[in-house]
Amino acid sequence: MASTLHYTALVPMDEYLKNLGGRKLPGWVKIVGILLGLLVVGLSVTVSVFANKDNSPACKNDLQAEQECRNITHLLEQLTQAQDILRETEAQAAICNQTVETLKISLEEEKAGGHKQQELVQKLQEEIKSLNQPLQEKSAELEQLRKETETMVSAKCPPNSGISLRLSVVPVLLTLSLQALLA
């Protein structure tokens, strides 16, 4: 197979224009070409400017400053949360302290009430002792009277009469009634 590659020599522009035979390009093609050229130049300049700014120390410092700002913002948010938790904890501690104070006051009142009750118990015990003394004396007198009455009745009445039985019930009833009063 034969190769289809053609070799053409480079022709200077003047000769190329002469070969066109004086034909001119339409005006819109020239305008589009000029605009495309300007666009390519403008984009090249813009890309190089942005590349220079992106690699500049000021831009790198701005990125570092932005990162530091984010870090500081995050730390401030954490600090705010910690302060909120601290306030809640302080409020709970104040409530606990108030509760402790209230309980201390209640305990002191209970102690005072306990002392009053102890004093009342001691007073009542002393009163019981003072009442027991006359009671024992009266029981002894009653026993003596019962014996005297029994001897008198046995001397005057026969042994099977109901009088002696009724007289022996009296001391038992008196003793029971005195015990009921003390209870």
Side-chain angles (χ1 to χ4, degrees):
M1 229 165 124
S3 128
T4 58
L5 181 62
H6 297 291
Y7 175 74
T8 55
L10 293 174
V11 181
M13 190 63 138
D14 293 338
E15 287 182 30
Y16 179 74
L17 289 174
K18 286 180 189 175
N19 287 339
L20 281 177
R23 291 183 289 170
K24 290 188 175 181
L25 293 173
W28 64 272
V29 173
K30 289 181 185 177
I31 292 174
V32 168
I34 291 171
L35 288 176
L36 283 174
L38 287 174
L39 183 65
V40 167
V41 170
L43 286 175
S44 298
V45 169
T46 306
V47 166
S48 66
V49 167
F50 282 129
N52 284 339
K53 282 187 178 181
D54 189 36
N55 291 330
S56 71
C59 184
K60 289 180 182 178
N61 289 340
D62 286 346
L63 290 175
Q64 288 175 348
E66 183 179 342
Q67 185 64 34
E68 287 177 13
C69 183
R70 285 183 188 152
N71 290 342
I72 290 172
T73 302
H74 181 68
L75 291 174
L76 286 173
E77 289 172 353
Q78 288 179 343
L79 181 62
T80 303
Q81 290 174 353
Q83 286 176 336
D84 291 342
I85 291 170
L86 179 64
R87 283 188 200 109
E88 290 175 9
T89 306
E90 286 174 344
Q92 289 175 352
I95 291 170
C96 288
N97 287 339
Q98 180 135 11
T99 303
V100 166
E101 290 300 319
T102 304
L103 290 174
K104 282 181 181 178
I105 291 170
S106 296
L107 181 62
E108 289 173 6
E109 289 174 355
E110 285 292 323
K111 284 181 181 178
H115 290 302
K116 288 180 183 178
Q117 286 179 349
Q118 284 180 344
E119 290 173 3
L120 181 62
V121 166
Q122 287 177 351
K123 186 176 179 182
L124 289 174
Q125 286 176 346
E126 290 171 3
E127 195 173 322
I128 288 172
K129 284 180 184 178
S130 65
L131 290 175
N132 273 339
Q133 186 71 28
L135 177 65
Q136 288 173 354
E137 291 172 2
K138 295 293 180 184
S139 292
E141 284 179 33
L142 190 65
E143 184 65 30
Q144 185 180 0
L145 285 175
R146 185 183 63 79
K147 286 181 182 178
E148 289 175 4
T149 309
E150 279 182 10
T151 55
M152 286 174 57
V153 169
S154 60
K156 291 184 180 179
C157 296
N160 287 336
S161 70
I163 295 174
S164 63
L165 181 62
R166 280 186 238 141
L167 288 177
S168 63
V169 172
V170 171
V172 172
L173 290 176
L174 283 175
T175 307
L176 289 175
S177 64
L178 287 175
Q179 286 177 349
L181 285 174
L182 290 177

